[in-house]
Amino acid sequence: GIYDWRGSWTLSLLLGYLCYLLLGAAIFQLLEKQAEAQSRNQFQVEKLRFLENYTCLDQYALERFVQVIMEAWDKGVNPTGNSTNPSNWDFSNSFFFAGTVVTTIGYGNLSPSTEAGQIFCVFYALFGIPLNVVFFNHLGTGLRSHLATLETWGHQSRHYQVVQTLSLALFLTLGTFLLLIFPPMVFSHVEGWSYGEGFYFAFITLSTIGFGDYVVGTDPNKHYISVYRSLAAVWIILGLAWLALVLPLGPMVLHRLMHLWQLNKDPGSKKGIGPEADGLSHPTKLPIAI
């Protein structure tokens, strides 16, 4: 019976997963396909206008030039501007790239073009990604040891419960502001994006999705400070570390706020919440998901 239950649950989860993917595909197609077609048509119109204005060029020469531009873009060279554009491989940019490798963000706008660089990138990621995982797991271990002291939360006084819950809520609020709300303001100011675009970049980055449609420090018409992308890499590391700490804290804070609200609503109820009220048996530890 247990195996039958697990099999049916696995099948249901698989079907739900596939349905979620199908739903996302349908919505993305509905939202983006028409805009892509318009952009494609507009590009073809611009090519025809260019050939009409410069009759010395033929279709083959123009297509060859477009191919050269695409190859330069694939190698991380911005086709706008000139040869005086800042290097993509100075130390600050290289540090930023190293951070995107070990965190598996991989924007895709920049990659090694030499065979030696590609081979080194393979071995660098081979050792760097596990090191990154160990680092965040170590943070989770530290949090786990801290939460071990909180397992007696339900046996403490009501004043202690309120102070502890407010402290956790304050930690979540400050982290959200410093790592998710404030950085998009900076990116919007420096890059000339809207706040929505900056927030979109921040979320796509810290979730390690890394589409590469928005990347900081790539506009050749702007003069960035030398450590700009290095600071962005530090923000990425801190943001990922904060998320690793927040994931187990969020449900805990919500549960305790609900319990404190129930205590205020019914002052005659018991002051503490035991393991049974938590929905956990006495020996069960608090779950930590890193």
Side-chain angles (χ1 to χ4, degrees):
I2 294 177
Y3 286 112
D4 292 341
W5 178 83
R6 289 181 178 176
S8 61
W9 169 246
T10 301
L11 181 61
S12 300
L13 188 61
L14 175 62
L15 292 177
Y17 183 74
L18 291 176
C19 290
Y20 191 77
L21 293 178
L22 293 174
L23 176 63
I27 294 177
F28 283 127
Q29 181 183 26
L30 178 65
L31 296 176
E32 300 294 335
K33 187 175 182 178
Q34 184 176 359
E36 179 203 28
Q38 292 176 352
S39 297
R40 183 176 298 170
N41 293 336
Q42 181 65 26
F43 179 68
Q44 296 300 326
V45 169
E46 291 297 330
K47 285 201 300 183
L48 292 176
R49 288 178 180 176
F50 186 83
L51 290 174
E52 291 175 357
N53 293 330
Y54 300 92
T55 56
C56 58
L57 291 175
D58 57 11
Q59 182 73 21
Y60 174 78
L62 179 59
E63 293 295 339
R64 176 57 186 165
F65 182 66
V66 171
Q67 182 65 30
V68 170
I69 293 177
M70 293 299 298
E71 291 176 357
W73 182 263
D74 290 339
K75 293 180 179 179
V77 178
N78 196 316
T80 60
N82 50 44
S83 60
T84 62
N85 291 344
S87 172
N88 288 323
W89 294 105
D90 57 18
F91 183 80
S92 179
N93 288 331
S94 299
F95 182 80
F96 181 81
F97 174 77
T100 62
V101 170
V102 298
T103 56
T104 69
I105 295 175
Y107 288 114
N109 68 311
L110 183 64
S111 59
S113 59
T114 64
E115 184 176 356
Q118 292 170 351
I119 294 176
F120 174 76
C121 184
V122 169
F123 287 97
Y124 184 77
L126 186 63
F127 292 97
I129 293 175
L131 178 62
N132 183 71
V133 173
V134 170
F135 171 69
F136 288 119
N137 283 341
H138 179 72
L139 291 178
T141 301
L143 177 63
R144 190 175 295 111
S145 63
H146 174 66
L147 292 181
T149 63
L150 305 183
E151 291 184 355
T152 59
W153 179 81
H155 305 290
Q156 303 295 331
S157 65
R158 183 175 175 182
H159 174 75
Y160 177 84
Q161 294 178 18
V162 172
V163 172
Q164 192 178 67
T165 301
L166 291 179
S167 298
L168 291 176
L170 180 62
F171 170 77
L172 294 176
T173 303
L174 288 178
T176 301
F177 176 78
L178 294 177
L179 296 171
L180 280 178
I181 304 300
F182 178 70
M185 297 179 184
V186 177
F187 297 141
S188 301
H189 175 72
V190 176
E191 302 290 342
W193 301 337
S194 66
Y195 181 80
E197 291 171 327
F199 186 81
Y200 167 80
F201 164 76
F203 176 80
I204 293 299
T205 295
L206 295 184
S207 61
T208 70
I209 297 174
F211 288 126
D213 49 352
Y214 289 88
V215 183
V216 295
T218 58
D219 191 344
N221 298 319
K222 296 183 180 297
H223 299 284
Y224 304 100
I225 61 176
S226 59
V227 295
Y228 176 60
R229 299 194 86 186
S230 295
L231 293 176
V234 172
W235 163 73
I236 291 174
I237 300 297
L238 293 177
L240 291 175
W242 178 76
L243 286 177
L245 299 178
V246 161
L247 289 178
L249 283 180
M252 177 189 299
V253 171
L254 291 177
H255 174 77
R256 293 184 176 182
L257 288 175
M258 291 178 61
H259 174 66
L260 292 175
W261 179 78
Q262 291 176 354
L263 288 179
N264 290 329
K265 184 178 179 180
D266 184 12
S269 63
K270 58 181 181 179
K271 295 183 179 181
I273 179 171
E276 293 77 8
D278 259 326
L280 303 173
S281 60
H282 182 70
T284 303
K285 303 297 183 181
L286 291 173
I288 306 297
I290 300 297

